[in-house]
Amino acid sequence: MKAGIESISFYAPHYFVDLRTLARRRGADPDKFLKGLGQEKMGVPPPDEDIVTMGANAARQALTGVDPATIDTLLFATESGIDQSKAAGIYVHHLLGLPSRCKAYELKQACCSSTAGVLAALALVRQEPHKRALVVASDVARYGLGTPGEPTQGAGAVALVISATPKLVALDIEHGSYTEDVMDFWRPNYREEALVDGKYSIKVYLRALSEAWRDYVRQTGRRFEDHARFCYHLPFTRMAEKAHLHLAKLTGHGEEPYETLMAQIESSLRYNRVVGNSYTASLYIGLASLLEGERDLDGQRLGIFSYGSGCMAAYLSGVVQKGYTAHLHADHHKRMLDERVELSFEEYAALYEHHLPTDGSAYETARHETGFFRLAGLNEHKRIYEKIERADSEPAHAEAERKAIAGHLA
Ligand code: CAA
């Protein structure tokens, strides 16, 4: 039987920093960020936006036309957890009005937990094909001002409806896996910023790719040339280039023209180049970018590599379904990205330095543009979320936003 992705949508925060601006302030050559890392902009969430509001926004769109009563489980993947106990997915469950029978829980293994969610969801719908699962992955990538990781920051969420009627991509059961205990990237509970051994993390990523691919080949017998397009986890888009050249070399395709190899990944990079890293969401925002960027992938097989530092990796594959273009949310994504507002360096730094209170006092967050959900405030250590009533097509309120940002600079 078939099972796979019925719908996919992503959400990016309304604010971004142009990496040319960041390069100027850090005394770096802009081409280091634009060409060396392959990044152009990075998303910055305002204080009334978090993994819950971003995840709910992505899921709201992905569920368009899907009967919520058929959602059996919501799997929420993140490495920017807001609570050690309560799953962020429970808030999303409430904001979306999912049925009380629908389970909701949280998954963790760095950027790979979204794929752990997809694999669990596939197992569920293969067992009970009348049910659907909703996988939501949402993260804020935060490294620290002035660190080498700073230009690879970003934020975003993605939501995938997994079902036995995959209108977009039917995912194969067989997949390759690789797990190894390494310290390439981690974030202890007492820190807001990740710690990373940057160069080492790239080495481990590539080693995990080799090993997960070898296991995938053992399980499936497939070859490099059986795949028309490739999606990689995207901490920064240049990483996909490194990964794809690495895989091509490993499989005896290293001598193929550079342009031929790049054409196999280029469409998957468009969104991430302007959103930045979104950890668990990043790979699947890349998949949305690929599907929405090419109109003639009917029947083509995709190779999908998921990497989570620490580390666990998985190599998946799937076949793009006939007529998939009719089920995408490309216009919605284009409008969302077009409407974003650019921050000055000072505005970015002020938002970065903003912290929610941790003493349990009552606190109202300043109102920014946040899509259909926002974090209204906190009280007695409880997060308070609200829905925003607005038409789908209503434009952003630029004037109010400017005031809210100015409030952080005051
Ligand atoms: N013009 C063009 N290119 C330039 C340039 C210029 N003026 N100046 C430098 N470059 C190139 C460099 O040659 C280099 O290219 P190569 O990789 O091909 O050698 C590239 O720009 C980056 O330059 P550096 O290596 O000098 O950059 P850096 O040391 O300052 O940091 C980084 C790079 C290690 C990736 C850092 O941004 C970082 O730590 N990022 C976070 C960690 C990360 O993303 N790791 C990826 C694997 S782990 C993972 O995938 C999980 C996850 O999501 C975090």
Side-chain angles (χ1 to χ4, degrees):
M1 67 165 283
K2 271 189 195 176
I5 306 169
E6 179 173 345
S7 172
I8 185 167
S9 185
F10 76 96
Y11 178 82
H14 194 60
Y15 301 133
F16 70 88
V17 174
D18 191 306
L19 290 189
R20 294 170 192 87
T21 306
L22 185 66
R24 260 195 307 279
R25 294 303 284 251
R26 298 294 178 225
D29 179 346
D31 276 349
K32 174 173 177 183
F33 299 167
L34 300 175
K35 296 183 180 155
L37 296 174
Q39 290 304 113
E40 206 178 314
K41 297 172 181 172
M42 62 184 194
V44 180
D48 55 346
E49 185 126 82
D50 67 5
I51 53 165
V52 167
T53 63
M54 292 194 297
N57 274 309
R60 180 186 182 276
Q61 186 65 28
L63 286 172
T64 314
V66 176
D67 177 4
T70 61
I71 306 289
D72 177 81
T73 308
L74 189 167
L75 303 105
F76 196 106
T78 189
E79 51 186 305
S80 319
I82 51 168
D83 194 295
Q84 288 284 16
S85 180
K86 180 168 174 163
I90 302 271
Y91 295 108
V92 175
H93 182 289
H94 172 74
L95 291 170
L96 297 176
L98 293 177
S100 55
R101 293 182 281 96
C102 170
K103 297 169 276 290
Y105 55 90
E106 195 166 304
L107 296 152
K108 179 167 70 181
Q109 187 358 71
C111 308
C112 205
S113 61
S114 44
T115 297
V118 167
L119 293 174
L122 282 173
L124 183 137
V125 302
R126 282 186 197 282
Q127 234 171 9
E128 297 181 88
H130 58 288
K131 292 180 174 175
R132 290 182 167 91
L134 176 64
V135 178
V136 178
S138 184
D139 267 307
V140 179
R142 224 177 123 88
Y143 287 97
L145 301 176
T147 63
E150 186 183 30
T152 68
Q153 293 180 136
V158 73
L160 300 94
V161 177
I162 303 291
S163 76
T165 49
K167 294 174 182 161
L168 301 177
V169 182
L171 293 166
D172 300 312
I173 300 183
E174 312 83 15
H175 58 271
S177 317
Y178 180 70
T179 302
E180 183 189 351
D181 184 1
V182 284
M183 293 304 279
D184 60 331
F185 168 106
W186 68 105
R187 183 167 70 83
N189 286 342
Y190 49 81
R191 284 184 62 96
E192 280 195 19
E193 290 81 30
L195 293 164
V196 63
D197 189 340
K199 296 274 161 51
Y200 178 58
S201 71
I202 294 174
K203 268 194 197 147
V204 183
Y205 178 119
L206 295 177
R207 184 163 76 227
L209 170 60
S210 303
E211 296 303 326
W213 170 265
R214 285 192 184 107
D215 191 42
Y216 170 73
V217 171
R218 269 194 294 275
Q219 314 279 338
T220 64
R222 288 199 196 101
R223 297 155 306 164
F224 183 87
E225 55 271 33
D226 294 328
H227 307 79
R229 296 287 180 274
F230 296 78
C231 290
Y232 293 91
H233 167 57
L234 295 169
F236 50 93
T237 67
R238 183 88 202 297
M239 188 67 227
E241 177 189 329
K242 288 177 190 288
H244 198 50
L245 295 179
H246 179 82
L247 188 64
K249 194 167 166 206
L250 184 78
T251 55
H253 292 261
E255 299 307 314
E256 284 185 18
Y258 174 81
E259 292 70 25
T260 307
L261 293 171
M262 288 308 104
Q264 295 167 344
I265 59 167
E266 186 51 43
S267 303
S268 71
L269 310 180
R270 296 172 310 128
Y271 291 150
N272 298 68
R273 197 175 275 136
V274 296
V275 169
N277 197 357
S278 52
Y279 295 158
T280 52
S282 184
L283 167 64
Y284 296 97
I285 293 179
L287 177 61
S289 174
L290 168 65
L291 296 173
E292 292 171 15
E294 295 198 37
R295 316 296 293 174
D296 51 2
L297 293 174
D298 280 7
Q300 303 278 4
R301 186 176 296 284
L302 311 178
I304 302 169
F305 176 64
S306 182
Y307 176 72
S309 288
C311 78
M312 180 189 130
Y315 205 96
L316 278 61
S317 62
V319 175
V320 180
Q321 299 298 285
K322 194 164 183 304
Y324 70 100
T325 54
H327 306 287
L328 296 168
H329 297 278
D331 292 345
H332 171 82
H333 296 146
K334 181 175 181 335
R335 197 173 63 225
M336 175 181 70
L337 293 176
D338 286 351
E339 282 181 358
R340 291 193 305 168
V341 168
E342 181 177 350
L343 299 178
S344 67
F345 177 82
E346 288 72 21
E347 289 168 338
Y348 150 66
L351 288 182
Y352 185 95
E353 299 288 7
H354 178 270
H355 297 282
L356 295 170
T358 55
D359 61 356
S361 56
Y363 176 79
E364 260 183 55
T365 48
R367 188 172 288 274
H368 291 257
E369 176 61 37
T370 57
F372 290 89
F373 308 97
R374 66 184 291 272
L375 174 66
L378 288 93
N379 197 14
E380 296 177 349
H381 300 286
K382 295 173 193 159
R383 287 189 176 232
I384 303 155
Y385 292 100
E386 68 178 4
K387 293 185 200 177
I388 311 287
E389 298 303 330
R390 50 177 275 193
D392 277 290
S393 56
E394 204 174 311
H397 306 291
E399 192 50 34
E401 281 162 32
R402 282 286 160 214
K403 278 192 194 144
I405 300 171
H408 282 102
L409 289 173

